[in-house]
Amino acid sequence: MSMDDREDMEPMKLTTLAFFGTSSCTPVEDNDTACFLINGHVLVDCGWAAGLTMLRRPEYDATMLSHVLLTHCHQDHYMGLASVLFYRAMQAARIEGDPRLTVAGPAEDIERIVDLTLDFIMAERLGERCPRPTILPLEPGDGLRAEELDITTVRTRHAVPSLAYRILDMDTGVEIGITGDTAYMPELARFFSGVDHLVTEASTGLNDPSPDNDAGHQSVLQAARLGKASDAENVSIVHTDLTRRDEFQAAAREICRAAYFPWSGDQHNLEDRSADPY
Ligand SMILES: [Zn+2]
Ligand SMILES: [Zn+2]
């Protein structure tokens, strides 16, 4: 291939996965709780302060969001929705096209959480700068489209109704799986089989929770086992005690060599699967 050919080529299409929050249920300095951004416009979970986290990273922009997907309605996953909606209201003049976000999540809780959030920020005083989002209640097994992303869902085992998401970028063929909070469910490996990047939780550290524990969380070792069984190319383990990151990563890699513990601000660029490498 000559340099001229190279210059004529379109830039390689990428699927981007940015980590805004990877801490356990309390944020640590410069790292929010669960919060991830795909292709710059789909936010999965909102941590405590997604709007603020995005402001601190000028390469991202909350006015570009099309969708927010909540895995479940625990506070460390939904509180940041208030900051996202308020920021967008403040920046309403910059939003092109339909200003309404779509907010999707477990059917049992999603409408209540969105309406409570709008009440909390007193959206009625913000008027048309803060339109009520389009709310999409999801039952396990439901699918949705977010522009180029085709998304499927499955129930996880957690203390409140919760969903895991498998997200296919139809422009690149790249697939991302996000478990949200869950007890160890070996059967999730089938749902996530062959994804390019699996994001899963390890809230209980190195200790496997007892099987009768109904909090619904995984250990580091269980997260690594799920990653290996899913045959995911990359396995990000999140929602854990990051002060023990090195120790956890060593233990996880004994089971799953792809295991990695990302930090807020990390971004993975996943290349177009159909691209010809030559
Ligand atoms: Zn959580
Ligand atoms: Zn939770």
Side-chain angles (χ1 to χ4, degrees):
M1 180 186 289
S2 72
M3 282 308 286
D4 290 346
D5 289 340
R6 228 178 271 266
E7 277 162 16
D8 289 344
M9 280 168 61
E10 300 242 321
M12 164 112 48
K13 282 188 266 173
L14 295 172
T15 299
T16 62
L17 169 61
F19 293 87
F20 289 162
T22 63
S23 173
S24 58
C25 71
T26 306
V28 293
E29 190 179 355
D30 199 31
N31 198 338
D32 202 345
T33 59
C35 188
F36 318 102
L37 181 68
I38 298 171
N39 286 357
H41 72 92
V42 172
L43 193 64
V44 181
D45 286 340
C46 294
W48 285 31
L52 186 59
T53 307
M54 291 187 83
L55 262 179
R56 286 187 175 140
R57 307 194 191 292
E59 63 273 38
Y60 307 109
D61 184 349
T63 66
M64 303 297 284
L65 294 176
S66 65
H67 290 68
V68 172
L69 311 179
L70 295 182
T71 58
H72 64 293
C73 293
H74 268 153
Q75 292 82 345
D76 54 322
H77 298 251
Y78 75 71
M79 285 198 300
L81 181 60
S83 59
V84 170
L85 293 179
F86 182 60
Y87 178 77
R88 286 171 60 89
M90 294 295 96
Q91 298 291 319
R94 290 203 297 115
I95 297 177
E96 290 172 17
D98 188 343
R100 273 172 310 165
L101 269 179
T102 295
V103 182
E108 295 87 341
D109 293 330
I110 193 67
E111 186 155 14
R112 177 167 177 241
I113 283 302
V114 173
D115 284 334
L116 286 170
T117 303
L118 292 169
D119 277 353
F120 175 58
I121 63 172
M122 295 199 275
E124 76 283 358
R125 293 189 184 175
L126 301 167
E128 61 190 27
R129 288 182 296 157
C130 190
R132 186 172 187 260
T134 301
I135 299 173
L136 203 52
L138 298 173
E139 301 285 353
D142 282 353
L144 69 146
R145 281 282 296 273
E147 299 173 15
E148 78 289 8
L149 301 175
D150 187 52
I151 301 163
T152 51
T153 64
V154 73
R155 171 71 79 222
T156 72
R157 205 177 306 142
H158 194 47
V160 298
S162 55
L163 296 169
Y165 295 104
R166 180 170 177 142
I167 300 163
L168 164 67
D169 184 337
M170 289 180 291
D171 287 347
T172 62
V174 166
E175 293 189 90
I176 294 170
I178 297 181
T179 67
D181 289 5
T182 185
Y184 179 56
M185 295 171 62
E187 60 270 33
L188 279 181
R190 209 174 325 124
F191 179 70
F192 289 119
S193 178
V195 294
D196 298 272
H197 201 128
L198 179 68
V199 182
T200 191
E201 69 119 306
S203 299
T204 70
L206 289 180
N207 301 319
D208 287 354
S210 69
D212 56 358
N213 178 312
D214 58 8
H217 289 294
Q218 292 184 132
S219 70
V220 167
L221 305 182
Q222 289 173 329
R225 256 178 244 137
L226 179 66
K228 184 173 170 59
S230 305
D231 204 21
E233 205 160 302
N234 306 278
V235 176
S236 285
I237 300 179
V238 299
H239 216 31
T240 195
D241 177 6
L242 292 165
T243 64
R244 299 175 65 191
R245 192 181 183 202
D246 293 346
E247 182 190 356
F248 286 178
Q249 189 152 290
R253 285 192 177 163
E254 293 273 312
I255 295 168
C256 175
R257 272 184 299 166
Y260 173 71
F261 286 70
W263 188 262
S264 179
D266 289 358
Q267 177 171 314
H268 287 239
N269 299 319
L270 299 146
E271 291 182 359
D272 188 346
R273 291 177 71 85
S274 63
D276 183 347
Y278 301 103

